């Protein structure tokens, strides 16, 4: 949901802003802009379209400014246009800012500001922020910010500059913002990967923090202007992790990273004869636990469906999961003792954070499973388990999804032990399965030619179905989401037994049905469901760990694996299928239309 970048130092700021925006483009890509100050003059250059369009505009530019701010937008208020693009400026063109978030009371503020003589040119909620700060500005930007933000309701990460002061002011409320600390220079960005080419030293701003960046130093204050001590942390992520490294798309690179990611996620958590997930150790609570409440959206929600199955199967523990945007507003019988588990790649998804705060209000302990160190989920949860997937740049989540399921499996296994449901033999069995997982993931990737072949057939259709039962149904849901998201084909997922209750009406000659089957016990039922499809002309593509002989289906045999491990391997299958189909359809894979990576608004 919009990307922010800022720099102050001795280097020309323009290329830094443009490269930073290119790295942040997955957060929004309908318009982009920068603002810089040179010899007391503020210049704003912005345009509808991608960061490349902005870069083209700047090709002839001679600006040598050494500080400035930039923005790439995912429109909420106001269509994508040059005027609605950020940065937005004050009436006197001396102040400007970029914003990620939504100002909820913008209508009232706008009317108020108009009555006070302010003139608005855009349809955005953001423009009222700069006018509000202008109203309080008397030569000191942070002082004006402290006053101005008192008037704002909503979510905002802001980066502001003034033509009269050589500094950048940042504010964080419910939208992420990171400071990058260099030698004689400071950076700011919406996330860590944007900063990796310049510095690994970062400060993750907390709720309500205001930061003042200068060339040689930075300072963080609270909303009363009192200085705060902050920790500079050194990220372990490398710059190359946020680069395509020869792959045509980030998505493909991230799919191919999965054997390594799975290995990293298992590191120090699975030894020769022991499963250890210290981060999930809630002591005496676990044996007596009655329920788990999950909170997640999109792909992460699909991971929690699998997580629920793990807890039920391995721990005999009831679990509830529903998309966070619904769950946060529902009243359910709240059971105790229970634990919340929040799953989010970015750790910044607004609805997911909504569930987290609700669970905290109800005094439940919360475990956060996230990929981003210092994210809101990690800060607000009582315990954090990191997925160790490395930066995920493609909007379509891939390696984060499989590593979330793996962490959930590790958690369920470790709780199963605590609840005396996992004997020595069973533990050894799962250790073996887990250790083999990265190799099996590689075996799936090695079949990429097959996926490409199927994708060439799929690209010809407009609608397709995904089918599965139990854990394979959850795979089907994620498969359909991934296909819709990046290839724009209409895909629907159904539980095998549900087709005949309605959707079968849509099956006609050659309608593709992508099916997953990794559970022997329900194989006969699934095979009957396939017959229902086939006798209406539907075409079955079956991805299975079982030995199924059936000449009328297209069957792809997957590596043998335990039923509980199979959703992780199936993750790679559905991702490759979606990727190659999108590529065959000529779609914009890493930046699908209308979407953004990190959804920080409701
Ligand atoms: O960062 P999060 O895991 O909280 O994101 C949740 C969803 O927005 C995300 O998984 C989304 O569904 C992906 N684009 C799907 O590929």
């Amino acid at each position: 949901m919009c990307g922010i970048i800022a720099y102050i130092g001795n280097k020309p700021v323009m290329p830094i802003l443009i490269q930073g925006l290119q790295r942040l483009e997955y957060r929004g890509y309908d318009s982009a802009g920068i603002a810089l100050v040179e010899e007391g003059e503020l210049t704003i250059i912005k345009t509808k379209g991608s960061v490349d369009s902005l870069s083209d505009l700047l090709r002839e530019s001679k600006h040598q400014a050494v500080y400035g701010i930039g923005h790439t937008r995912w429109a909420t208020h106001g269509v994508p246009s040059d005027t609605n693009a950020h940065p937005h400026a004050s009436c006197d063109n001396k102040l400007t800012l970029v914003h990620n978030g939504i100002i909820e009371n913008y209508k009232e503020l706008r009317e108020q500001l108009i009555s006070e003589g302010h003139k608005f040119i855009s349809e955005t909620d953001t423009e009222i922020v700069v006018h509000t700060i202008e109203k309080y500005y008397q030569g000191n930007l942070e002082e004006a910010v402290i006053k101005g933000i008192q008037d704002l309701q909503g979510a905002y990460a802001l980066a502001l500059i003034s033509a009269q002061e050589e500094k950048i002011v940042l504010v964080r409320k419910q939208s992420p913002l990171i400071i990058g600390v260099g030698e004689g220079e400071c950076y700011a960005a919406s996330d860590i990967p944007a900063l990796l080419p310049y510095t690994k030293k970062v400060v993750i701003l907390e709720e309500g923090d205001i930061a003042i960046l200068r060339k040689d130093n930075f300072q963080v204050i609270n909303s009363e202007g009192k200085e705060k001590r902050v920790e500079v942390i050194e990220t372990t992520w490398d710059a190359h992790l946020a680069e395509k490294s020869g792959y045509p798309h980030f998505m493909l690179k991230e799919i191919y990273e999965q054997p390594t990611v799975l290995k990293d996620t298992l590191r120090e958590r699975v030894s020769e004869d022991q499963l250890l997930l210290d981060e999930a150790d809630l002591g005496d609570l676990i044996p007596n636990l009655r329920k788990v409440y999950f909170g997640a959206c999109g792909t992460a929600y699909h991971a929690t469906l699998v997580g629920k199955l793990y807890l039920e199967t391995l721990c005999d523990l009831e679990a509830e999961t529903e998309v966070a945007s619904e769950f946060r507003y529902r009243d359910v019988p709240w059971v105790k003792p229970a634990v919340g588990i929040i799953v989010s790649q970015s750790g910044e998804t607004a609805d997911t954070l909504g569930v987290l705060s609700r669970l905290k209000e109800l005094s439940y302990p919360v475990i956060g499973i996230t990929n981003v160190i210092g994210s809101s989920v990690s800060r607000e949860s009582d315990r954090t388990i990191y997925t160790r997937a490395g930066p995920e740049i493609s909007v379509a989540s891939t390696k984060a999804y499989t590593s979330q399921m793996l962490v959930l499996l590790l958690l369920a296994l470790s709780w199963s032990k605590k609840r005396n449901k996992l004997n020595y033999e069973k533990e050894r069995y799962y250790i073996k399965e887990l250790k083999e997982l990265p190799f099996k993931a590689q075996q799936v990737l090695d079949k990429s030619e097959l996926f490409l072949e199927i994708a060439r057939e799929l690209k010809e259709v407009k609608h397709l179905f995904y089918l599965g039962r139990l854990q394979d149904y959850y795979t089907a849901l994620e498969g359909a989401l991934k296909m819709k998201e990046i290839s724009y084909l209409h895909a629907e997922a159904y539980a095998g037994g549900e087709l005949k209750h309605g959707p079968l009406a849509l099956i006609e000659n050659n309608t593709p049905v992508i099916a997953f089957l990794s559970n022997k016990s329900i194989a006969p039922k699934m095979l009957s469901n396939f017959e229902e499809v086939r006798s209406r002309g539907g075409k079955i593509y079956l991805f299975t760990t079982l030995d199924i002989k059936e000449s009328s289906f297209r069957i792809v045999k997957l590596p043998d694996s335990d039923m509980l491990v199979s959703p992780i391997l199936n993750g790679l299958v559905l991702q490759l299928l979606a990727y190659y189909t999108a590529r065959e359809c000529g779609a914009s894979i890493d930046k699908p239309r209308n979407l953004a990576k990190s959804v920080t608004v409701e």
Side-chain angles (χ1 to χ4, degrees), residues 251 295-302 343-350 352-353 369-370 372 377 392 394-398 400-401 404 478 481-482 485-486 592 595-599:
M251 183 177 175
C297 294
T299 291
Y301 162 68
H302 294 153
V343 184
S344 171
Q345 187 284 129
S346 62
E348 300 296 346
T349 302
T352 305
L353 290 171
I369 298 180
T370 182
V372 179
V377 165
E392 192 181 66
S394 169
V395 168
S397 186
T398 54
Y401 169 62
Q404 283 160 356
E478 174 61 8
L481 170 69
K482 206 99 306 172
E485 182 179 28
I486 59 164
L595 301 179
K597 179 87 183 150
S598 180
V599 186

Side-chain angles (χ1 to χ4, degrees), residues 189-338:
S190 298
D191 66 20
I192 296 174
L195 300 175
L196 290 177
Y198 313 113
T199 180
K200 288 178 134 198
K201 290 189 184 149
V202 296
V203 174
I204 295 158
L205 290 180
E206 293 185 355
E207 250 347 69
D209 280 355
I210 298 170
I212 303 116
L213 310 188
R214 297 188 184 83
K215 254 185 212 171
D216 303 317
N217 59 58
F218 69 92
Q219 197 188 359
V220 179
I221 57 176
N222 65 16
S223 58
E224 278 131 35
K226 286 218 177 79
E227 184 153 2
K228 275 185 68 178
R229 282 172 68 89
V230 288
E231 194 192 351
V232 178
I233 55 172
E234 188 135 357
T235 167
T236 52
W237 287 358
D238 271 327
H240 81 269
L241 286 172
E243 278 157 13
K244 283 193 201 146
S245 313
Y247 284 87
H249 298 99
F250 277 113
M251 183 177 175
L252 190 63
K253 177 186 175 230
E254 288 161 9
I255 291 174
Y256 271 82
E257 279 170 358
Q258 287 175 102
T260 311
V261 165
L262 296 172
K263 223 182 275 169
D264 286 348
T265 304
L266 292 172
R267 198 174 4 95
E268 288 150 20
R269 291 167 172 168
V270 180
S271 70
E272 279 315 308
D273 56 356
Q274 274 240 55
L275 288 160
L276 297 161
L277 193 63
D278 289 345
E279 303 99 306
D281 187 0
L282 297 179
D284 291 345
L285 187 58
I286 302 305
N288 302 314
L289 207 57
R290 286 183 56 205
K291 189 146 187 173
V292 166
Y293 297 103
F294 281 108
C297 294
T299 291
Y301 162 68
H302 294 153
T304 66
L305 288 168
V306 177
K308 171 177 152 71
L309 178 106
Y310 289 159
L311 292 174
E312 289 166 349
T313 317
L314 294 167
C315 308
D316 195 15
L317 183 56
E318 211 178 298
E320 179 153 347
T321 185
E322 191 181 8
V323 285
S325 51
E326 287 293 307
F327 191 44
R328 64 182 298 190
Y329 295 115
R330 261 186 64 211
D331 272 320
V332 298
W334 296 108
V335 172
K336 284 197 175 165

Side-chain angles (χ1 to χ4, degrees), residues 337-494:
V339 166
I341 301 184
I342 297 295
V343 184
S344 171
Q345 187 284 129
S346 62
E348 300 296 346
T349 302
D351 284 314
T352 305
L353 290 171
V355 174
L356 199 165
S357 10
R358 190 144 185 232
L359 291 170
K360 299 287 305 176
E361 272 161 33
L362 293 161
S363 306
Y364 288 110
V366 172
I367 296 180
I369 298 180
T370 182
N371 195 34
V372 179
I373 295 178
S375 60
S376 299
V377 165
S378 76
R379 282 206 314 268
E380 289 167 30
S381 301
D382 300 293
R383 290 287 172 92
T384 303
I385 311 179
Y386 288 107
T387 43
R388 301 178 183 163
E392 192 181 66
I393 309 288
S394 169
V395 168
S397 186
T398 54
K399 55 180 181 168
Y401 169 62
T402 46
S403 57
Q404 283 160 356
M405 288 188 287
L406 182 53
V407 163
L408 286 165
L409 180 53
L410 289 169
L411 178 142
L413 286 166
S414 80
W415 285 8
S416 179
K417 233 159 99 175
K418 289 252 148 57
R419 290 166 71 88
N420 283 330
K421 310 252 175 241
L422 192 75
N423 61 28
Y424 180 75
E425 284 73 35
K426 252 182 155 181
E427 186 174 4
R428 294 297 291 242
Y429 164 78
Y430 281 113
I431 288 175
K432 183 170 166 291
E433 281 289 319
L434 291 173
K435 290 199 157 210
E436 286 173 3
L437 179 61
F439 302 100
K440 292 181 183 169
Q442 188 56 51
Q443 285 169 14
V444 173
L445 296 176
D446 292 343
K447 292 186 189 294
S448 65
E449 275 302 310
L450 257 175
F451 297 107
L452 180 58
E453 253 174 55
I454 298 175
R456 289 197 171 122
E457 294 176 24
L458 297 182
K459 78 150 197 260
E460 304 298 338
V461 303
K462 288 225 156 28
H463 307 280
L464 64 152
F465 288 92
Y466 280 78
L467 215 60
R469 281 177 181 244
L470 305 174
Q471 68 270 54
D472 297 326
Y473 171 50
Y474 307 143
T475 299
L477 287 169
E478 174 61 8
L481 170 69
K482 206 99 306 172
M483 188 60 90
K484 283 186 270 221
E485 182 179 28
I486 59 164
S487 74
Y488 313 144
L489 296 182
H490 177 226
E492 292 280 353
Y494 280 95

Side-chain angles (χ1 to χ4, degrees), residues 20-54:
L21 289 180
Q22 274 157 345
R23 287 169 184 278
L24 288 166
E25 218 179 356
Y26 67 88
R27 300 177 67 91
Y29 28 87
D30 57 46
S31 47
I34 60 168
L36 22 104
V37 176
E38 211 169 5
E39 292 168 7
E41 281 294 310
L42 176 68
T43 307
I44 296 178
I45 306 142
K46 55 186 187 172
T47 181
K48 179 181 167 183
S50 63
V51 177
D52 283 349
S53 321
L54 177 69

